[in-house]
């Protein structure tokens, strides 16, 4: 049942927003979105969903299996990334905790396997936990990409989708484009047309 619900949720999400093909961190930030009907769709809402999201983007091997803790770490950095993108768009001061979280992810990738000592087999080297290593590597890549996005010239064209209730982010490809997908653009135009008809009827 959970798998069916997740598939339905994925279909409710529009295709990647402009800029997401160049910046995986933008796609990461948009992995949660408000959709019509008062629903909020989260593509990282379970270990299975988070694993699928990473695998589909080449950030984890096909046989990866994440735990609740790992999925929670992904959602945590995703939310901090959204906070920083919003601050960049608004020209507001950044949340220091969000900056710290991004920097922490950047420095968390293990540079060497750790030494372990089995009572029977003796010493050997391995990651502290394979699943943790996978998610830390993915987080580091996404954090590095987010830092690049926030400091690149493209950041000047970052904006929030202008078609409520959607709350995804995009890089504007046209000065007048403020929506993240054709679906949101159609909804925005329909809303404007309805508002004009309502005003005309009132007059």
């Amino acid at each position: 049942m959970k798998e069916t619900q997740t598939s339905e949720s994925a279909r409710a999400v529009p295709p990647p927003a402009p800029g997401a093909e160049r910046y995986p961190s933008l796609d990461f930030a948009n992995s949660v979105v408000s959709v019509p009907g008062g629903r909020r769709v989260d593509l990282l809402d379970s270990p299975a969903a988070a694993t699928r999201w990473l695998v589909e983007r080449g950030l984890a091997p096909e046989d990866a299996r994440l735990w609740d803790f790992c999925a929670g770490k992904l959602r945590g950095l995703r939310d901090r990334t959204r906070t920083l993108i919003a601050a960049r768009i608004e020209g507001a001061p950044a949340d220091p905790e969000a900056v710290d979280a991004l920097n922490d992810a950047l420095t968390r990738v293990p540079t060497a396997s750790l030494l372990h000592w089995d009572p029977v087999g003796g010493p050997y080297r391995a990651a502290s936990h394979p699943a943790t290593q996978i998610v830390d590597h993915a987080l580091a890549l996404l954090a590095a990409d987010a830092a690049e996005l926030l400091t690149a010239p493209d950041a000047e064209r970052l904006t929030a989708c202008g078609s409520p209730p959607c709350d995804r982010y995009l890089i504007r490809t046209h000065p007048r484009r403020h929506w993240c997908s054709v679906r949101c653009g159609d909804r925005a135009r329909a809303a404007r047309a309805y508002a004009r008809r309502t005003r005309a009827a009132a007059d």
Side-chain angles (χ1 to χ4, degrees), residues 50-122:
T51 300
R52 183 166 50 253
W53 193 91
L54 291 177
V55 169
E56 287 174 353
R57 287 153 184 83
L59 294 170
E62 290 283 345
D63 60 350
R65 293 293 180 271
L66 303 188
W67 301 83
D68 284 323
F69 172 70
C70 299
K73 288 177 71 173
L74 280 167
R75 290 192 298 270
L77 185 66
R78 188 263 317 276
D79 294 345
R80 297 299 175 84
T81 301
R82 287 182 61 83
T83 296
L84 293 173
I85 289 175
R88 184 69 171 86
I89 290 170
E90 296 163 7
D95 177 355
E97 290 185 1
V99 174
D100 289 345
L102 205 72
N103 286 329
D104 181 64
L106 279 167
T107 59
R108 210 169 255 282
V109 178
T111 57
S113 298
L114 303 180
L115 176 66
H116 300 268
W117 208 287
D118 183 79
V120 177

Side-chain angles (χ1 to χ4, degrees), residues 41-54:
V41 177
D42 188 344
L43 299 180
L44 308 176
D45 67 348
S46 69
T51 300
R52 183 166 50 253
W53 193 91
L54 291 177

Side-chain angles (χ1 to χ4, degrees), residues 16-49:
E21 72 285 353
R22 292 197 307 280
Y23 295 100
S25 58
L26 186 59
D27 196 30
F28 182 51
N30 288 336
S31 62
V32 62
V33 60
S34 297
V35 297
R39 291 188 302 131
R40 193 155 175 81
V41 177
D42 188 344
L43 299 180
L44 308 176
D45 67 348
S46 69

